[in-house]
Amino acid sequence: MPETMTWPADRRITIKDLQAATDRGERWSMLTSYDTLTAGIFEQAGVRALLVGDTSAEMVLGYPDTLPVTMDQLIPMVQAVVRGTRTALVVADLPFGSYQAGPQAALANAVRHLKEGGAQAVKLEGGRRVVPQVQTLTGAGIPVMGHLGLTPQSVNVLGGMRRVQGRGDAGGELLADATALERAGAFAVVLESVPADLGRRVSEALRVPTVGIGAGPHCDAQILVWQDMAGLTTGRLPRFVKQYADTSGELLDAASRYAADVTAGRYPDQAHSYA
Ligand code: KIV
């Protein structure tokens, strides 16, 4: 099969590969990843692109939202994900405060993600208001993924993290934002927590892929936070999360049996000791 019809096995996937898959109607998946081992597993599983997201603020660093994470905290995670993969496209999030001041701030931080982190692309949140940033980054040769709908960096103006965005008249605004991002050169647009019908309208309107997270079945690609997908996060999760494993339960069981074995003197036994 010619390489254009399949996914590369001996080089990194590029934004052109993602566009080609979308053009031929093939759905593809993304996951977040923040470390070497999970990155390698997700790549092996056929996940085409990995996002070192600012959700690492919550999932790795224990903050209540995504706002506190910094470039200096994200870059080692980007490096780890790049080191753990050979073919996946690695997208690095631009955290809150790293691009809002304008195109030059965005450029300086995006360059760090590519130069120091080794990422192949960056992601930022917002629509028409970040068009100058997207134009500057793409003009400098840096692929940009947009992010619309529920944009967690704006939690303080959105009034909560569980709100579905883009209902009613807001749908038209979101469509205009998506079109503006595509025109500015974005190679893909994440749609988070929007009605499925709006996900369909945006996907039909854009040539570049839409990457849905709680945006229904019509998006060209899907992304989930890996701890949600694998059942490591517990408690009340958004409706769109499907848990494919009970990692939390498995880990609790393993750690409990280990702790009990140590307490009872069953571990280490002879088989796990040096002669
Ligand atoms: O940071 C992140 O993980 C994200 C995804 C939820 C899309 O932006």
Side-chain angles (χ1 to χ4, degrees), residues 32 34 51-56 58 66 93 123 125 147 152 190 192 211 213 223-225 240:
T32 64
Y34 320 103
L51 171 68
V52 186
D54 60 3
T55 42
S56 53
E58 298 157 285
T66 64
D93 234 347
K123 178 172 82 58
E125 296 183 4
H147 185 158
V190 171
E192 179 165 354
V211 183
I213 172 164
I223 183 167
L224 282 174
V225 171
F240 61 77

Side-chain angles (χ1 to χ4, degrees), residues 110-234:
V111 164
R112 286 193 69 192
H113 268 327
L114 269 65
K115 236 177 150 74
E116 296 175 44
Q120 290 83 52
V122 300
K123 178 172 82 58
L124 47 67
E125 296 183 4
R128 281 159 286 184
R129 68 185 157 85
V130 295
V131 158
Q133 284 88 328
V134 176
Q135 285 170 333
T136 298
L137 299 189
T138 53
I142 300 173
V144 179
M145 179 175 270
H147 185 158
L148 295 172
L150 188 92
T151 46
Q153 292 178 12
S154 303
V155 59
N156 291 311
V157 289
L158 292 176
M161 280 299 296
R162 295 290 164 117
R163 303 255 169 113
V164 176
Q165 304 294 311
R167 286 200 168 120
D169 290 347
E173 292 297 310
L174 192 144
L175 188 54
D177 279 332
T179 310
L181 288 173
E182 177 175 77
R183 280 210 197 102
F187 76 89
V189 179
V190 171
L191 299 177
E192 179 165 354
S193 294
V194 302
D197 189 54
L198 182 57
R200 180 187 58 73
R201 280 166 63 203
V202 177
S203 302
E204 284 172 3
L206 298 192
R207 178 163 184 254
V208 298
T210 53
V211 183
I213 172 164
H218 308 290
C219 294
D220 303 296
Q222 296 291 326
I223 183 167
L224 282 174
V225 171
W226 86 256
Q227 289 90 343
D228 291 344
M229 179 280 298
L232 187 57
T233 43
T234 54

